[in-house]
């Protein structure tokens, strides 16, 4: 019980069960009434607490936190992030996630510092710049936010493309996203510029106003309409085990 492997492997097994749609059950790794995400993160935190430099658990935690975007973090997610920020304060993925959490708390200037550090220490430039754009808009600096958005697509990587695609998915339907998916890597920036220019023209806006409005709406939505526990898809902080799934 002092080694990280058992806790890490329990988290992996629970994640596989969750993704397979298996109903939760009481077992050695899961308490009665405990949702899969809660159990997964409890084990991941236990693994990291015992060995903060344990690479498999660190990678799994970072992959899950990165994919979660700006979702509210649960108790064990926050505890795991605290361990990671102490153990790997210059890891670009840790810095990006840390910046998101600071932004959620309203510490916008500190969040900007973390995003800049994530880029400086080798993180994906596009992903960091998109996060900077959202944070600058939250600070009421729309022109700088627009500049950061465009700075992120100067050199498009798969991680950049994924981040910008997910951002577009808030406002686009599937056929338009399919058009974006078909664009060659070197043509992503021109495609985006044409896309936003056409939306400005359709709304009789000045150039750049539609993108600024999009970023402003993103800030409003994530600041004021956050679900407490998103993996349960409910505003309730606790759901009794026998009633799960009825919502």
């Amino acid at each position: 019980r002092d080694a990280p492997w058992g806790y890490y492997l329990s988290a992996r097994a629970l994640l596989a069960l969750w993704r397979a749609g298996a109903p939760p059950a009481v077992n050695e790794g899961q308490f009665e009434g405990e949702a899969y995400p809660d159990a997964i993160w409890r084990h991941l935190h236990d693994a990291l607490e015992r060995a903060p430099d344990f690479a498999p658990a660190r990678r799994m935690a970072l992959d899950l936190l990165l994919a979660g975007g700006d979702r509210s973090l649960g108790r064990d997610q926050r505890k795991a992030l605290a361990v990671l920020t102490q153990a790997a304060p210059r890891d670009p993925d840790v810095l990006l996630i840390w910046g998101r959490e600071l932004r959620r708390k309203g510490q916008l200037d500190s969040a900007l510092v973390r995003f800049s550090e994530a880029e400086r220490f080798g993180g994906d430039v596009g992903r960091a710049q998109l996060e900077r754009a959202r944070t600058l808009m939250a600070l009421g600096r729309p022109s700088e936010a627009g500049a950061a958005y465009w700075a992120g697509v100067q050199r498009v990587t798969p991680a950049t493309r994924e981040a910008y695609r997910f951002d577009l998915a808030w406002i686009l339907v599937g056929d338009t996203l399919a058009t974006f998916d078909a664009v060659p890597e070197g043509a992503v920036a021109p495609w985006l510029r044409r896309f936003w220019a056409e939306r400005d023209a359709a709304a009789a806006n000045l150039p750049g106003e539609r993108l600024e409005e999009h970023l402003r709406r993103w800030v409003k939505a994530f600041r004021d309409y956050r679900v407490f526990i998103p993996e349960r898809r409910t505003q309730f902080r606790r759901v009794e085990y026998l009633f799960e799934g009825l919502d």
Side-chain angles (χ1 to χ4, degrees):
R1 291 187 177 274
D2 293 330
W5 272 105
Y7 298 98
Y8 162 69
L9 291 173
S10 291
R12 286 288 300 270
L14 290 164
L15 180 62
L17 287 167
W18 186 31
R19 287 176 170 168
V26 179
N27 54 55
E28 286 294 324
Q30 198 167 6
F31 302 137
E32 182 176 3
E34 187 177 36
Y36 276 122
D38 295 333
I40 290 164
W41 279 102
R42 178 168 56 81
H43 286 290
L44 266 181
H45 171 253
D46 285 342
L48 289 168
E49 191 175 50
R50 283 158 177 76
D53 59 347
F54 183 54
R58 180 187 294 182
R59 189 67 261 160
M60 180 180 176
L62 290 175
D63 287 343
L64 290 174
L65 288 170
L66 284 170
D70 275 76
R71 289 184 170 203
S72 294
L73 300 185
R75 179 191 61 190
D76 287 311
Q77 287 175 312
R78 292 193 299 271
K79 288 161 67 176
L81 179 58
V83 173
L84 291 170
T85 54
Q86 289 292 321
R90 292 193 173 189
D91 185 299
D93 289 344
V94 172
L95 289 163
L96 193 84
I97 297 161
W98 188 4
R100 287 172 174 171
E101 179 64 4
L102 289 169
R103 181 172 59 203
R104 183 193 66 80
K105 294 178 178 179
Q107 300 175 25
L108 302 177
D109 290 320
S110 296
L112 275 181
V113 172
R114 298 292 90 75
F115 296 139
S116 296
E117 289 176 341
E119 183 178 340
R120 188 166 75 250
F121 291 126
D124 185 78
V125 174
R127 192 158 53 186
Q129 287 291 349
L130 181 58
E131 299 293 6
R132 288 189 73 251
R134 293 164 172 170
T135 310
L136 287 163
M137 181 58 73
L139 283 165
R141 294 151 62 179
S143 59
E144 293 177 70
Y149 181 94
W150 293 118
V153 290
Q154 295 305 305
R155 185 174 62 85
V156 176
T157 67
T160 296
R161 187 168 193 144
E162 181 184 48
Y164 277 74
R165 186 191 192 279
F166 193 77
D167 183 66
L168 290 172
W170 291 110
I171 59 172
L172 297 186
V173 293
D175 57 347
T176 309
L177 281 174
T179 304
F180 176 79
D181 292 338
V183 173
E185 188 172 289
V188 167
W191 188 95
L192 286 169
R193 290 192 179 277
R194 184 170 63 253
F195 169 79
W196 288 112
E198 289 173 354
R199 292 177 76 87
D200 280 328
N205 285 340
L206 293 173
E209 286 186 342
R210 192 62 190 83
L211 173 59
E212 289 181 7
E213 178 63 20
H214 169 66
L215 292 170
R216 190 176 295 110
R217 290 181 180 187
W218 189 97
V219 169
K220 173 71 175 176
F222 278 81
R223 185 185 63 209
D224 297 339
Y225 298 97
R226 183 181 301 276
V227 176
F228 293 133
I229 306 179
E231 61 269 16
R232 297 185 185 176
R233 294 175 292 182
T234 174
Q235 289 285 355
F236 296 108
R237 290 197 176 275
R238 173 177 168 80
V239 179
E240 294 296 333
Y241 177 72
L242 293 176
F243 293 96
E244 282 186 359
L246 295 184
D247 59 338

